[in-house]
Each structure stands twice: as C-alpha cells, then as structure tokens.
Amino acid sequence: QQQVKQSPQSLIVQKGGISIINCAYENTAFDYFPWYQQFPGKGPALLIAIRPDVSEKKEGRFTISFNKSAKQFSLHIMDSQPGDSATYFCAAVGSGNTGKLIFGQGTTLQVKP
Amino acid sequence: KAGVTQTPRYLIKTRGQQVTLSCSPISGHRSVSWYQQTPGQGLQFLFEYFSETQRNKGNFPGRFSGRQFSNSRSEMNVSTLELGDSALYLCASSLSGTPNTGELFFGEGSRLTVL
C-alpha cells in the first residue's frame, strides 16, 4: 500500500526558530509532493510543493528539500512565527491521480512567542 | 471567487442511519475529491469525480458512495452508519489540468458525529 510517513507528530519551536518536518515515501511513481497547512476549524490549504526533479524550492520563509535517492523530503520554516502554529501535512501524488493525494499523518506545530 | 462550500457543517446521526453531504466546488473546477479526516487515521482519500465520472477510489467499503452533477457539484453518501464513521469529511476541488499539480482547494468540511 502506498504510504507517506511523517515525523515528528508534534513540534514546539520558539519564535524566530527553525521548524523542520520530515517525510518519507515508498512509491517511486509519485511525481508531485505538496505540503498543506491546516488551522483549527479550517480545511487544509496548499503551502508549497515540489517535483522530484528539483532538490530544493523556497517560497518566503518556507523551503522544501527533496532527496530523491533517499525518498525523503522535508519542510523547513525559517524564522517561525506564532501565526505559523498549525498542523502541517506532507503529501504525494501519483502521475495521473490529480485528486488523489496520499497524506502523511500530520505534524502539529506550536510556535511559542 | 467563492471557495469550496460544504453543507451541512455539523451533523449528528445514530448508528444505522444514512447521511448525505454536499459540496459545491470553486467555479470552473471540474474535479471534486472527498477525504475523511480522523485523529487516528489522518486524511484518507475516499474518491474523486471528474465530469460526473468517478475517476479514482480509495479503500473504503461500499457504504461510502458519491456522485457528481453536471454543474460539478458533488454529494457523498454514507449508508448504515457506524460509530467509526465519525469524522470530518472534506471536499476538495481542482482544475484537473495537465500536468498534475496536486493543488487541491479544500472546503471547511462537514463534521459527522455518529452516536
């Protein structure tokens, strides 16, 4: 069964610090790896995404690092802010499966002021 | 542009009953996907509809079904409810363009409680 494993389950970071969330996948047929951010009472929202032919993608304070050979990718949140406190999900999408995302278990991030 | 709208937002049912949830996608989006979110299992894919046809299906029993209408609105139905069906049901829409971008736009969900 296709799986995406995410760690840690929860994370507490001081304001200004770096938050790091890691994911690993098993299926080499995945060709797109998005990260979603979810606030309480809201649906997930796309944060940033990467394709496996790119090793790193940066958007503002958010960076995805991708290691294709290790089948691992991670999200780095630089200068973490209290407003970043949310649950983060990594996901993987197979070719042709536009609406079918395989999600990691999620990481609850708390940024302390 | 309005986002994905799901109704009802909250509902309580008893075991054995059935429930229908509704989703209106973003205007112009032709793909609608449904996900079940629980604390234990996380986000799990139920099914995806595109142009009124089921394009993908997750590993859920046949009690879970869905459909899509010609205006892209979608409904999902769960029959013979079980306690374990208590969850947040999320609908997501996408343009379903090529190449696959994985960008789904989620609604706020319908929270189902089964007693």
Side-chain angles (χ1 to χ4, degrees):
Chain A
Q1 184 176 352
Q2 300 175 342
Q3 279 192 344
V4 177
K5 296 182 180 179
Q6 183 173 345
S7 62
Q9 187 174 355
S10 62
L11 183 61
I12 299 175
V13 175
Q14 291 294 129
K15 178 182 176 182
I18 302 173
S19 303
I20 302 174
I21 304 170
N22 300 298
C23 286
Y25 64 99
E26 299 175 350
N27 190 337
T28 57
F30 293 137
D31 65 0
Y32 198 71
F33 299 87
W35 285 86
Y36 281 79
Q37 178 188 54
Q38 185 177 28
F39 293 103
K42 301 293 185 181
L46 180 67
L47 187 64
I48 187 173
I50 197 168
R51 294 196 179 278
D53 54 350
V54 177
S55 61
E56 185 175 281
K57 183 176 181 179
K58 183 177 181 179
E59 289 185 1
R61 296 184 294 109
F62 301 90
T63 300
I64 300 178
S65 297
F66 192 89
N67 186 328
K68 187 174 181 178
S69 60
K71 298 181 186 176
Q72 296 175 345
F73 57 111
S74 60
L75 175 69
H76 291 62
I77 306 174
M78 312 300 287
D79 187 25
S80 298
Q81 299 296 312
D84 296 331
S85 298
T87 301
Y88 293 81
F89 294 92
C90 62
V93 188
S95 177
N97 291 327
T98 305
K100 182 179 180 181
L101 271 62
I102 308 299
F103 283 95
Q105 285 295 95
T107 297
T108 301
L109 170 65
Q110 182 184 358
V111 181
K112 290 192 170 182
Chain B
K1 184 181 276 191
V4 176
T5 304
Q6 292 188 245
T7 57
R9 292 291 314 279
Y10 303 90
L11 65 166
I12 300 173
K13 294 285 186 178
T14 57
R15 282 182 299 174
Q17 287 187 312
Q18 74 167 13
V19 65
T20 299
L21 309 178
S22 180
C23 172
S24 293
I26 292 172
S27 178
H29 285 192
R30 298 169 63 191
S31 169
V32 173
S33 301
W34 289 89
Y35 288 80
Q36 180 194 66
Q37 185 173 21
T38 59
Q41 299 298 317
L43 281 155
Q44 292 190 291
F45 173 78
L46 281 158
F47 27 65
E48 178 196 7
Y49 288 87
F50 178 78
S51 294
E52 303 178 64
T53 301
Q54 188 179 85
R55 187 161 68 174
N56 272 304
K57 188 177 188 303
N59 297 322
F60 279 82
R63 300 185 298 107
F64 293 81
S65 63
R67 59 177 176 169
Q68 187 180 33
F69 302 97
S70 58
N71 62 358
S72 292
R73 191 178 68 86
S74 178
E75 288 181 347
M76 69 162 283
N77 183 275
V78 187
S79 63
T80 318
L81 285 166
E82 301 177 358
L83 295 179
D85 296 333
S86 295
L88 180 67
Y89 289 89
L90 290 160
C91 169
S93 73
S94 70
L95 284 169
S96 190
T98 302
N100 174 22
T101 65
E103 182 166 8
L104 302 185
F105 295 84
F106 283 87
E108 295 189 334
S110 293
R111 183 164 295 282
L112 170 65
T113 301
V114 182
L115 302 176

